Amino acid sequence: MVKRRDAPKAIDPQTVAKERLAGERGTVIKDHVGRLSVALVYPNVYEVGMSNLGFQKIYHLLNLRDDVVCERAFLPSKQEAEFSGKRKLKICSLETGKALSEFDVVAFSVTFEPDYLNVLSILSLAGIPLKGRGKRDPLIVTGGVAVTLNPEPVADFIDVVLLGEGEKNIGPFIDAIIKDGKGDLKIFADVPGAYVPSAYKPVYADDGTITEVKVTIGFPQKVKREWDENYGVEPNRTYVETEKTVFGDMALVETGKGCGKHCRFCAAGYIYRPTRHVQTEPLLSAINEGLVAKGKVGLVGSAICDHPDIEKIFTHIISRGGKFSVSSLRLDNLTNSMLANLLKGECKTITVA
């Protein structure tokens, strides 16, 4: 006889939020009064979003500013959505339970194309109009790898798209709002990497091809991707620690951006040009902090073994009694000593290309 599995019970999102906050270290909670409020949203579940170093870095950078309060939100689980749907509850921020619709800015960090649909779902669940928003509605912004590669699938629903690396363009973007308010999108015309979709109108031929794009006066003909030329002094890493992520047993540290091979099929080789590596000393310092916190670090990058001091880094972790994992390796750069260190660091699986 087959025993039927009971359906998961609906869960109160507020209960979930309290449990998550209780299990976090590094959470930032500020008073909203007198500060620009930003809801930083990862359009997937908490366990996935909190493992994303780009999302963590923007949360860290925004909360370093005294004139900004940044709180997080995520796609609710099915059980949370069921509970909220029956009671007509809107999506709220994790830190203080404030409704997303009450923030000045709702900023999505979009890494994967399937999450485009989740962006729209979250806006709907938050009670924020997909189109035709008014002055009282939040400014809707997106950034991240997916929209840098192709923002057009969600362009009709977004006020501003930040193209490129958030470390470089999030500051000027916030400065523009602090200075001039968010009522007129023209204030973003001079912000590097800021693409305002409503300022660009495509003209189509009868066969559906685009013949030209009409640009509103004052906006650039082309919006260039921004990249951080000073990257490498401070590595992206886990700023808010929690066990409740897909990599909850380790502290994540980024070793570099991009890959020098520039294979045509690989987005990372192009979107993160030029290839840059984190300087060894600050990288080791971040690794040390991660080992103290977790005893294990996850080294994140497109091709970990491309770092010029990667053997030194592996040896350092092992010498401190630490464990480590690597996101990906390139087969032509693997050496016997690297493989031996991977074993010593108790790295159980590797991805090679």
Side-chain angles (χ1 to χ4, degrees):
M1 183 184 220
V2 177
K3 187 176 181 180
R4 189 177 68 179
R5 183 179 297 175
D6 293 333
K9 294 182 180 179
I11 302 175
D12 184 352
Q14 291 185 352
T15 301
V16 174
K18 289 178 181 178
E19 292 175 352
R20 287 171 176 169
L21 288 172
E24 289 186 348
R25 293 184 299 276
T27 313
V28 179
I29 298 178
K30 292 182 178 180
D31 188 348
H32 283 243
V33 177
R35 293 185 169 100
L36 180 76
S37 60
V38 179
L40 182 62
V41 185
Y42 194 87
N44 212 302
V45 294
Y46 175 87
E47 292 77 9
V48 175
M50 287 304 295
S51 296
N52 185 279
L53 291 185
F55 180 79
Q56 290 238 9
K57 184 61 176 285
I58 298 303
Y59 179 75
H60 171 70
L61 290 176
L62 288 176
N63 277 317
L64 283 179
R65 300 181 61 133
D66 189 55
D67 52 4
V68 173
V69 53
C70 177
E71 300 184 359
R72 295 161 292 155
F74 304 87
L75 182 73
S77 66
K78 291 182 179 180
Q79 296 95 319
E80 292 174 78
E82 181 183 347
F83 185 96
S84 299
K86 290 180 179 179
R87 295 159 180 80
K88 297 183 180 180
L89 301 177
K90 296 180 180 180
I91 292 182
C92 297
S93 68
L94 178 62
E95 280 79 356
T96 62
K98 182 176 181 178
L100 296 194
S101 57
E102 297 177 4
F103 280 80
D104 298 317
V105 179
V106 174
F108 289 92
S109 177
V110 190
T111 306
F112 304 106
E113 291 91 339
D115 287 341
Y116 284 147
L117 298 177
N118 292 338
V119 169
L120 304 185
S121 295
I122 290 171
L123 288 175
S124 296
L125 292 171
I128 300 173
L130 296 182
K131 292 184 178 182
R133 290 181 289 271
K135 292 183 179 180
R136 293 186 177 182
D137 293 310
L139 185 75
I140 307 301
V141 186
T142 58
V145 176
V147 292
T148 294
L149 286 169
N150 183 13
E152 296 310 317
V154 289
D156 287 346
F157 312 99
I158 305 302
D159 297 315
V160 185
V161 181
L162 297 179
L163 302 176
E165 296 170 11
E167 301 98 312
K168 186 64 183 292
N169 54 25
I170 193 65
F173 169 75
I174 294 296
D175 289 341
I177 300 176
I178 296 291
K179 179 184 176 185
D180 298 312
K182 63 182 181 69
D184 190 346
L185 295 179
K186 290 181 180 179
I187 67 170
F188 303 111
D190 296 325
V191 174
Y195 166 47
V196 179
S198 61
Y200 298 83
K201 301 295 183 184
V203 178
Y204 295 93
D206 292 338
D207 62 358
T209 57
I210 296 176
T211 58
E212 67 172 313
V213 176
K214 294 183 178 181
V215 183
T216 302
I217 295 175
F219 287 86
Q221 284 293 124
K222 290 185 178 181
V223 181
K224 296 182 178 180
R225 168 192 67 97
E226 286 294 293
W227 60 279
D228 185 7
E229 61 271 18
N230 296 318
Y231 172 84
V233 177
E234 181 183 353
N236 293 341
R237 58 184 179 84
T238 301
Y239 290 96
V240 180
E241 297 174 3
T242 176
E243 304 291 333
K244 298 179 181 180
T245 76
V246 292
F247 300 111
D249 63 332
M250 65 184 81
L252 302 180
V253 182
E254 189 175 64
T255 64
K257 289 185 182 290
C259 173
K261 290 294 185 182
H262 305 306
C263 301
R264 297 293 295 178
F265 62 82
C266 178
Y270 285 86
I271 197 171
Y272 290 123
R273 278 186 168 183
T275 304
R276 287 148 291 158
H277 302 293
V278 177
Q279 296 173 17
T280 302
E281 290 309 312
L283 181 56
L284 292 178
S285 177
I287 286 172
N288 289 342
E289 291 182 20
L291 291 176
V292 170
K294 297 278 191 175
K296 181 178 180 180
V297 292
L299 302 178
V300 179
S302 301
I304 298 297
C305 51
D306 281 1
H307 193 287
D309 283 332
I310 194 60
E311 301 238 30
K312 177 181 177 180
I313 292 165
F314 286 176
T315 302
H316 175 83
I317 296 172
I318 294 166
S319 70
R320 294 179 64 90
K323 304 176 184 178
F324 68 96
S325 177
V326 292
S327 59
S328 62
L329 301 166
R330 215 174 55 232
L331 193 59
D332 57 344
N333 273 6
L334 270 177
T335 64
N336 288 335
S337 59
M338 280 188 197
L339 291 171
N341 281 329
L342 288 168
L343 286 172
K344 292 177 183 176
E346 299 187 26
C347 188
K348 303 288 176 54
T349 61
I350 59 172
T351 300
V352 294

